[in-house]
Amino acid sequence: MTQFRRSYNRIALLTGIALALITLGIEYFQYNHNKQLLLIDLKNRLNEHTMNMNLRARTIRGYVNGLRNAAENSLFYIRQFGTTSPLFPFLKNNRALNSYDLDLENQNINKGLVSNLTGLGNIKDISDDLKAELQMALFLNPFLEMALRNNRGAVWTYYTSQNHFQNLYPWTPSHQNFYHKGLESKFFFQGAIPEKNPERQNFWTEAYQDGIADGVLYQKGIVVTNSSPIYEGDRFLGVVSLDLSLSELNRVMKRFNAFKGSLLLINKNHQVLATNGDNSSRAQGVIPHLEQFVPTPIIQRIDQEMKAPSGWFSSYNSSIFYIIDMHEAPWYLVYVGSKSDLFMGIYFEALENIIVITAILIFVVGMGYLLMIHDVISPAQKLVDHISKVKRGEKSTFQKIPARWQPWFDIISHTFEENRALMTDLENRVKLRTKQLQQKNSQLEKTLSDLKKAQNQIIVQEKLASLGALTAGIAHEIKNPLNFIINFSDLSIEYLHELKNKVSDENKLFSLIEENMIKTKEHAARADSIVKGMLAHARGSTGEITIFNLHKLLDDAIELAYIGFQGKETDFTTKFTKEFDPTIQTIHGSEQDLARVFLNIINNSCFAMHEKQKKFGKGYRPELTVKTRSLGKSIQITFEDNGPGMSGAVLKKIFTPFFTTKEPGKGTGLGLSLSYDIVTHQHHGQITVKSKIGKSSQFTIELPKET
């Protein structure tokens, strides 16, 4: 397989992988989108079912509140108008049980229209208030009937008094149902007493098993009760209630298709009031709890949702659940389903789409691959092989080449033939040009050697020019001590002649001779010092690095430069201020070269201050300050004068060779350039200059303590 084919196969493979990944990505997003739509649809259906449940709960609450209104209104009419119930005379005592009841077993009365009122005590001994309350309870019979018959799943409606009686609809025989004080401890009664319900609100109880009276069953299964308290003014009387069978709630829940999930109706105490599943296997009278349906971690999540509903589905491991607060009852609708069951259809739909799209992509990419190989890759590989052979000078012929590729083969062949001719000509030209360049290199090497010689001559001339600048003044200075030497020598000779003539005052004469000889020695030493300085400056530097006293070198340079300049300009005087750092003793460097740098800078400062003095006269007093300062591993030397300063244009070229601001014949323009080389290249330091026009110039040299 050729390199071209391998490269294209790699590209085709990567393209296929990219398309497959894109397909998977699209299907993944489509899958998530469909999941979201499914959850939205499920949420809407759950909300709709919750609305139906709320409507059922609101209806029951409305009937119970209507019973409360009927009871309180009936009591009002009884009090105001003395209205009496025709059933009141049928209340009979049961001496054996110390109770009374509405015994209609032997009466020709439709028992389906009345309730059975049972209570504790003697009916003949009741108070007027209790009698009025009994009348009110009997007047509730039609309302109790209406509430029971109009609410499917309602099993009992009744009024329970704190005065120990109960009016229960539908009517049951007294021996099957009688009042007992245990009723007052039930949820439906305790939730109505003022201590627990001071706002007199309608309320729902927990689920419980319908009661037992002295072991006689009159149960109708597990129920939840809706109750409303009855008051006469501020006096609590009792409670009206409606018992709703959980069987009815289960029937309503089974009407909901939960998409292979479970739908639970629970209260805050985790009692499962109803489910949409099969309840036939449940034990009679046992109230199921949430723990029997879902694991503990999900229960914890459900409790959190009860406190702060998120309004959307939550998940745990492979389960998904959704909590809805019913509002009209202290109940919650809980959906719990399996992710795999819920989304299986969507998953298989996405998988089917992936398979179909992948098949289409394989077909399209495969056809494109074959066409590309035949029309592009194979001819291109042949073209590359043709180029390789032609490049090596071999003969190349190919068959079965598409017609549209033939011009490229011809162009390549023709181009290589032209290139060979050009390369031959180019090689000849290169040989000729190489010979010419060799000749020019020889000339350049000779020119460079001549330039180095000229540079050395210029440096020597700069030294001679600097020495000549010092010579005139120094010669004048040397003349003075020599004159003193001559004069004092003549005087000493005269004193000696007088000594020969035996002058009487010998001691005085000897003192004068001694004084003359001392002055002669001083001026001779001064002349010797000046000459030594000149010789040191005139001698060529070897560049040898030695250890020397920096401050002594600065003192000598200041004296020598000042004497030299003052010898030429006798009217010039300046004040020297020395601020030397006492911590600096010796440094490493070339003593002669650094002396040359200091002389150049001091001489230039004296020249600049003299020019300013000529302009401003006696009102200007020249001053040059020389400072040294230790900076750790380096030493800083500063020369600051109060001369005319320099412009920015001058500062930019101050260290350029042959640049000078002096008149012709007074400067070569090499002094500061050589000083820059000595400081930066030879001593690895730096030299900078700052200036203020009309005020001052400052040269700063920074040298390492050890070069």
Side-chain angles (χ1 to χ4, degrees), residues 328-486:
E328 294 295 333
W331 304 334
Y332 297 88
L333 209 62
V334 179
Y335 171 81
V336 181
S338 169
K339 291 181 181 178
S340 58
D341 293 341
L342 189 62
F343 302 133
M344 187 63 70
I346 300 174
Y347 171 78
F348 281 116
E349 181 181 351
L351 185 61
E352 182 181 348
N353 291 339
I354 290 173
I355 293 172
V356 172
I357 295 174
T358 302
I360 294 173
L361 287 177
I362 291 173
F363 176 77
V364 173
V365 172
M367 291 299 296
Y369 175 81
L370 295 176
L371 291 174
M372 193 72 177
I373 290 293
H374 181 268
D375 292 345
V376 178
I377 301 301
S378 181
Q381 183 62 51
K382 291 180 180 180
L383 181 61
V384 171
D385 295 340
H386 176 69
I387 293 171
S388 300
K389 289 183 177 181
V390 173
K391 181 180 179 182
R392 294 193 299 267
E394 300 175 2
K395 186 177 180 180
S396 174
T397 56
F398 285 95
Q399 298 178 353
K400 296 182 181 180
I401 298 173
R404 60 179 177 275
W405 282 83
Q406 189 62 49
W408 291 100
F409 284 80
D410 297 338
I411 291 171
I412 293 296
S413 300
H414 181 67
T415 301
F416 269 94
E417 290 176 0
E418 290 182 347
N419 284 344
R420 287 193 189 92
L422 291 173
M423 286 295 295
T424 303
D425 182 61
L426 181 60
E427 289 176 357
N428 295 331
R429 290 175 180 270
V430 168
K431 290 178 181 178
L432 178 61
R433 182 64 65 188
T434 301
K435 186 176 181 180
Q436 293 174 348
L437 287 174
Q438 289 175 347
Q439 294 174 353
K440 289 194 176 290
N441 286 340
S442 299
Q443 294 175 359
L444 288 173
E445 288 176 359
K446 185 176 181 301
T447 302
L448 181 61
S449 178
D450 294 342
L451 284 174
K452 289 182 178 179
K453 292 178 182 178
Q455 183 180 17
N456 293 332
Q457 291 175 357
I458 289 171
I459 293 173
V460 172
Q461 289 175 0
E462 165 58 21
K463 292 179 180 179
L464 293 174
S466 176
L467 182 61
L470 293 171
T471 301
I474 292 175
H476 177 75
E477 288 297 316
I478 294 174
K479 184 179 179 182
N480 288 335
L482 290 176
N483 287 336
F484 278 109
I485 292 170
I486 294 169

Side-chain angles (χ1 to χ4, degrees), residues 265-294:
L265 182 65
I266 67 172
N267 57 23
K268 294 180 179 179
N269 296 323
H270 294 177
Q271 289 182 327
V272 178
L273 307 180
T275 70
N276 67 331
D278 184 11
N279 300 312
S280 60
S281 61
R282 293 183 186 173
Q284 184 69 23
V286 177
I287 302 173
H289 279 72
L290 188 59
E291 289 78 1
Q292 299 171 229
F293 293 86
V294 294

Side-chain angles (χ1 to χ4, degrees), residues 18-41:
L19 290 174
L21 291 175
I22 292 171
T23 302
L24 290 174
I26 293 173
E27 286 303 318
Y28 174 75
F29 287 114
Q30 185 66 30
Y31 172 70
N32 284 334
H33 179 67
N34 290 340
K35 280 172 56 177
Q36 196 75 3
L37 292 178
L38 178 65
L39 292 177
I40 291 173
D41 180 51

Side-chain angles (χ1 to χ4, degrees), residues 25 140 205 273 404 454 498 582 687-688:
L140 284 178
T205 69
L273 307 180
R404 60 179 177 275
E498 290 179 10
I687 180 170
T688 57

